[in-house]
Amino acid sequence: MVLDLTASSADITRAICDIPSVSGEEQALADAIEQAVTGLPHLEVIRHGNTVVARTDLGRPQRVAIAGHIDTVPIHDNLPVRDIEIDGEPFLWGRGTVDMKAGTAVQLKLAAELADPSIDITWMWYDNEEVAADLNGLGLLAAARPDLFEADFAILGEPSDGEVEGGCNGTLRAIVRTTGVRAHSARAWIGENAIHRAAPILARLAEYRAREVPVEGLLYRESLSAVRISGGVAGNVIPDACEVEVNYRFAPSKSAADAEAHVRAVLAGFDVEITDAAEGARPGLDAEIARRFVSAVGAEPRPKYGWTDVARFSALGIPAVNYGPGDPHLAHHDEERVPLAQIEAVERGLRAWLTSH
């Protein structure tokens, strides 16, 4: 399919949403994006797997990296995209409209049109954001071409309701285990029930009160939750093992080591295995370039509670924010939909900042 980048951002959203790109199946969309931006005289285009990078090199004193992922979660009877109205307001409905092809569409349109921006721009459209971190196209690009990540500021087009969401919380997952002794359930007193022994774990998590942590003027809310529990052998057997999977979302002022220490303290006395951890990202809104961006788009910064790839930029010392159309509560939802007015507003905001001298 040939993408027309002279079309409106809404029409580009329709077009790229209707190219299915579930994680691991992004090649057709990556090919279309590469074809659309190749040959534009103001852009150098680099392809790495199914990640496409397009850069200006105008000798500006500062550079911004603007990134968007091109994959989606699985389709569930929500393609092709449809135009709908809710209370008289026009929306685009369908998989990817929120997370995050509307944001990617805005980026593609501006990449094609802004031949003389006030700041050099590195556009990045990457694959496999919705799956395991070791497959993430942005992470693989950073490992292979760290030079492409040289920037003074970064924007990720994740859905933020058209507002600016600074940084993001970190996330940690752990498995908490209990053990027992198997026995026939008719003679339960002979065994020791590992599932029953998990009751204090669940009680501690149920009683846990989320902390609110101020970081650089934004208030991040933490959470510690049981997200899965497994155990049992058969309907007539006392179980000898139980596992509770726990997810801790922690403020970006904490390191992963701090988060691990906190989880182990809350669950002291139990066997805790940390299975995954990703640092958060400080908002970085005190940087001059970030302040100019916030002023230009006319947004009130707020915290990002979910983890996003802004953390990859933050780890490199690059302040980064989330800024894109779409209600994040509708990401991955079967009724995913984005207001056309929000797509247009984000395009205006980015264009105003990138062209202000």
Side-chain angles (χ1 to χ4, degrees), residues 196-218:
H196 292 181
R197 286 183 169 179
I201 298 171
L202 299 179
R204 290 185 199 181
L205 295 173
E207 293 166 2
Y208 186 86
R209 293 295 173 261
R211 299 180 178 186
E212 292 187 334
V213 182
V215 182
E216 297 174 12
L218 299 182

Side-chain angles (χ1 to χ4, degrees), residues 173-176 205 225-229 243-247 275:
R173 287 196 298 268
I175 300 294
V176 190
L205 295 173
S225 310
V227 293
R228 184 166 55 187
I229 187 166
E243 294 185 343
V244 180
E245 184 174 1
V246 173
N247 183 214
T275 57

Side-chain angles (χ1 to χ4, degrees), residues 31 33 52 67 83 116 119 133 142 156 160 174 186 194 206 218 223 226 232 243 249 259 286 306 311 333 335:
D31 289 347
I33 290 173
V52 180
D83 286 271
D116 187 32
I119 184 170
L156 195 67
S160 62
L218 299 182
S223 63
E243 294 185 343
R249 300 288 177 143
D286 53 345
H333 199 288
E335 295 298 322

Side-chain angles (χ1 to χ4, degrees), residues 53-89:
V53 178
R55 303 173 74 249
T56 65
D57 190 10
L58 303 170
R60 303 292 193 241
Q62 289 185 303
R63 176 176 292 275
V64 61
I66 303 179
H69 67 80
I70 63 173
D71 62 321
T72 72
V73 296
I75 297 161
H76 189 213
D77 299 324
N78 50 5
L79 281 185
V81 167
R82 298 202 313 259
D83 286 271
I84 65 170
E85 281 195 6
I86 299 176
D87 297 329
E89 182 178 4

